[in-house]
Amino acid sequence: MTSTRADQTALFAQRFPQPARAERDAALEQSTHGLARQYPDLVSNRTFVRWQVITLVAVPATVVVGGLVDLRVAAACVVSAIVAVYLLIMVVRLQVFARGLQASERRGPPVPSSIPEAALPFYTVLMPAYDEPEVITALLRATGAIDYPKDRLEVLLLLEEDDERTLSVLLDVDLPPEVRVLLVPASEPRTKPKACNYGLAFARGEFVTIYDAEDRPEAMQLRQAVEAFHHGGDQMACTQARLDYFNPTQNLLTRWFTVEYTTWFGVFLRGLSALQLPIPLGGTSNHMRTALLREAGGWDAFNVTEDADLGLRLARLGYQTGVLDSVTYEEANSDYINWVRQRSRWYKGYLQTWLVHFRRPSEAVKVFGLRGALNITLLIGATPILAVLNLCTWLCTAMFVIGVPASFQTIFPLPVIYAGTACALLGNATVIYVSVLAMAEYDDGRFAWAALTYPLYWLLMAIAATKACVQLITKPSYWEKTAHGLTGETT
């Protein structure tokens, strides 16, 4: 290991040669501004357009003015609107979950690849990492276990050029020949999608996928993805593998996280696919046709949930996304503060994504269809907002269950109170029941009791969503780093 940064930089350049300066500059410019050139209205380098700003100001102003005129009527209208949205979301989620459960029940054992070994296409794996010295060697070992011809596989390890801690670790590691290290030039925005775009500029594979620093993909996943594309047709641009955790029982938080992921990736995404609705991708193990990914503009370098945004962009361009029956194991976040940092970034990105794709609402309805636009609004745009409102609705529900004070009844009419309370209790019970069903579908009844304590998990979501709403205005493209390696495992 070298003693100074200059020595380390020189040694690294010797061991891991980089593209020529002109190529690097062109790739950096493309990774940052390429999407804006291809689809200027679909990049989140600006947060709001005019009508969105007007709405953001007008709605709360209208509520305040209405409250000053007649507090009882205004409160009844607001609560009634919230209850209606909650009920609509519950109906939509149940429909998607039911279709996903049917699709999950029909799934069988993995189908052996029908593609001869010699016909397997060249595949690129992008591995963005930043300040990940604790898990980088484990990631390389997991990637090395992938069952795919090494002469048709390239692994692009994408590191920030000023990430001294991770670079120091790599100097002591013997990398396999299929792994190539690319140093992303330090520039704003410092985001994962920008790093992935930089890697995409140098990718040679017909197909490309992403693995995060702590990922442990199943060995046959690339072969299964190629098989899925073979049967999916030319319009199939992407297939999303199921994400699960290798540390589900570490603590109560990891149990909640596991229940949530099993419900989302194991059942819910299958339902969206069966209903032919847009699929918001996960941040890892989404396998794509490289040519179609470039046609779609790559990832939005300014969006902090670039995966969900890309899934919607592929849908609006007329491409299909499938669900792959293969699992990638990740590290469930076991630290509560770290979890809030991660989830607030996800929620902020969900809001960014909705704001971008609904800059022209009539156009969004046209390209997604009325049903697709409604689902995107309810499942992506409304999710962070309702997570914030949950704090208020739970308080109101608790006050009603404990005993409604007279002053409370003077503000909220009793029919509204009853409707809101029923919605809160029925909605929570439904989500818990759905989560238990999802875990049972994957033969993991150990987590059923964790689903019963889900309301505590939603409290964390409310905190994260509140933080996300604030950061959407103050720091929209700020990438809040999630710490990995908290399990203490290194292999």
Side-chain angles (χ1 to χ4, degrees), residues 117-446:
E117 185 93 359
L120 287 173
F122 201 81
Y123 220 114
T124 297
V125 174
L126 301 180
M127 295 170 29
Y130 178 66
D131 198 21
E132 305 275 10
E134 298 86 359
V135 296
I136 196 69
T137 53
L139 171 60
L140 293 173
R141 281 193 291 272
T143 306
I146 292 175
D147 185 353
Y148 203 83
K150 301 305 181 185
D151 62 337
R152 270 155 284 166
L153 176 66
E154 71 170 356
V155 179
L156 300 183
L157 183 55
L158 308 173
L159 304 176
E160 298 289 329
E161 65 178 0
D162 56 357
D163 185 3
E164 296 180 49
R165 296 179 66 221
T166 308
L167 298 183
S168 297
V169 170
L170 281 182
L171 289 174
D172 297 327
V173 174
D174 291 326
L175 298 180
E178 67 271 13
V179 176
R180 180 185 179 192
V181 177
L182 286 177
L183 297 184
V184 182
S187 65
E188 295 298 328
R190 301 294 286 263
T191 60
K192 173 184 172 183
K194 190 195 77 175
C196 289
N197 282 336
Y198 188 81
L200 181 63
F202 298 100
R204 295 179 295 145
E206 180 181 345
F207 299 101
V208 63
T209 191
I210 300 173
Y211 290 135
D212 281 342
E214 79 282 10
D215 284 357
R216 301 177 185 178
E218 288 185 333
M220 299 290 288
Q221 189 171 112
L222 299 190
R223 292 176 183 264
Q224 289 178 258
V226 172
E227 187 76 18
F229 283 115
H230 178 71
H231 294 290
D234 293 339
Q235 288 301 107
M236 183 175 176
C238 177
T239 183
Q240 171 71 65
R242 184 165 71 90
L243 305 183
D244 205 343
Y245 294 119
F246 57 74
N247 62 322
T249 60
Q250 185 176 350
N251 59 22
L252 183 56
L253 181 59
T254 63
R255 290 176 182 272
W256 285 334
F257 220 164
T258 300
V259 172
E260 181 184 20
Y261 257 40
T262 299
T263 305
W264 180 256
F265 287 99
V267 180
F268 211 79
L269 290 191
R270 293 181 183 277
L272 291 176
S273 179
L275 292 168
Q276 297 184 329
L277 293 170
I279 293 179
L281 300 175
T284 179
S285 304
N286 35 59
H287 301 257
M288 289 162 281
R289 295 184 187 273
T290 307
L292 296 186
L293 175 58
R294 286 173 173 150
E295 179 187 329
W299 294 272
D300 184 349
F302 297 89
N303 192 309
V304 295
T305 50
E306 76 295 337
D307 38 22
D309 170 72
L310 177 59
L312 299 192
R313 196 169 348 116
L314 290 173
R316 77 182 296 149
L317 293 174
Y319 293 118
Q320 299 170 359
T321 296
V323 178
L324 187 64
D325 196 14
S326 178
V327 182
T328 294
Y329 293 94
E330 296 188 309
E331 178 189 4
N333 210 322
S334 57
D335 178 82
Y336 290 88
I337 294 177
N338 196 43
W339 183 95
V340 169
R341 288 166 56 89
Q342 181 186 60
R343 185 53 59 97
S344 65
R345 173 169 59 80
W346 293 359
Y347 278 155
K348 181 172 65 172
Y350 267 29
L351 292 170
Q352 283 181 309
T353 297
W354 187 89
L355 289 168
V356 163
H357 288 276
F358 283 80
R359 283 173 174 168
R360 294 187 175 90
S362 59
E363 180 183 303
V365 172
K366 181 179 179 180
V367 296
F368 292 120
L370 180 60
R371 188 180 62 161
L374 179 63
N375 274 269
I376 292 169
T377 299
L378 294 176
L379 301 180
I380 294 180
T383 294
I385 303 302
L386 292 182
V388 175
L389 292 176
N390 278 342
L391 292 174
C392 298
T393 59
W394 292 337
L395 177 61
C396 292
T397 301
M399 292 178 66
F400 177 72
V401 172
I402 294 172
V404 185
S407 58
F408 200 66
Q409 294 186 45
T410 61
I411 299 175
F412 299 103
L414 275 178
V416 172
I417 295 177
Y418 283 118
T421 302
C423 180
L425 296 178
L426 180 61
N428 290 345
T430 300
V431 173
I432 291 172
Y433 178 67
V434 162
S435 301
V436 172
L437 279 183
M439 298 309 297
E441 176 62 26
Y442 284 88
D443 298 322
D444 217 334
R446 296 175 299 163

